[in-house]
Amino acid sequence: LPAHSSLAAIDFPGHGASAHLPHPATYDLAVLVKAAVLALDGLGWPSAVVVAHSFGATVAIMLAAAMPERVDALVLLDGVGPSPSNPHRIVSELTEFLTREAADAASAAQHNPGGPPPQPRSRKTFPSRSALLSHLRANHTGQLTAAGAAAIASRGAHPVAGSRPDPAWTFTHDRRVKNF
């Protein structure tokens, strides 16, 4: 990178080392685009060149469509994600959502006036880090190397509290993320 450049890598809510959203919030596309906007705001960047991978590429495309003034350029790798039900309205709906969210920081998705929040499902645990890495490699759609599995686990897995001396391991992602 040129000397005057800055670089930031973000984990979306419920991914990697980021916090999970409170129940009953959902991880829909608009919420993740909002997370990207909040990241830019938090960094004090009016705009950025956005480099994104996988579902992050879908989020980046929606960010650029809804707020083109915030995206100088896109670099997209292996973009995947759900298809919108009405592609002709998605940009306007997303722009309206982001405008409402910017005006009202107390999001209704993070508030449950109807009673206690639903309990999250229990997490799948693995008897060891080695077993977790083997699971990653066996269930990956492509060729995942041992080093690749270890890199994923370093950001997305942790030992289960209280399972010493040989700790069990589990993934850190919020299981609701699979509801895309």
Side-chain angles (χ1 to χ4, degrees):
L1 291 175
H4 67 281
S5 298
S6 296
L7 176 69
I10 65 168
D11 287 330
F12 286 123
H15 293 78
S18 71
H20 298 184
L21 293 175
H23 290 278
T26 61
Y27 292 93
D28 60 22
L29 184 59
V31 169
L32 299 180
V33 172
K34 178 185 172 190
V37 171
L38 292 174
L40 289 172
D41 291 347
L43 292 164
W45 297 351
S47 65
V49 172
V50 179
V51 179
H53 173 256
S54 191
F55 190 70
T58 302
V59 174
I61 290 168
M62 292 296 105
L63 172 63
M67 304 182 85
E69 71 280 3
R70 302 298 305 260
V71 179
D72 297 328
L74 289 172
V75 179
L76 307 174
L77 307 164
D78 296 327
V80 298
S83 298
S85 58
N86 188 338
H88 302 290
R89 291 186 23 202
I90 187 113
V91 173
S92 63
E93 289 175 1
L94 183 57
T95 302
E96 290 169 16
F97 169 82
L98 292 171
T99 302
R100 281 193 315 272
E101 287 291 303
D104 181 14
S107 172
Q110 298 177 3
H111 180 64
N112 182 12
Q119 294 300 311
R121 298 181 295 172
S122 62
R123 295 188 163 279
K124 181 173 184 174
T125 59
F126 300 88
S128 65
R129 185 171 188 273
S130 176
L132 180 134
L133 295 175
S134 294
H135 173 81
L136 273 174
R137 292 189 71 196
N139 290 286
H140 193 269
T141 56
Q143 296 268 333
L144 183 62
T145 65
I152 291 170
S154 72
R155 301 259 327 140
H158 62 84
V160 175
S163 63
R164 303 264 181 233
D166 294 325
W169 280 74
T170 190
F171 292 105
T172 58
H173 73 277
D174 190 328
R175 293 181 67 171
R176 294 174 293 152
V177 169
K178 293 187 179 224
N179 292 335
F180 285 120

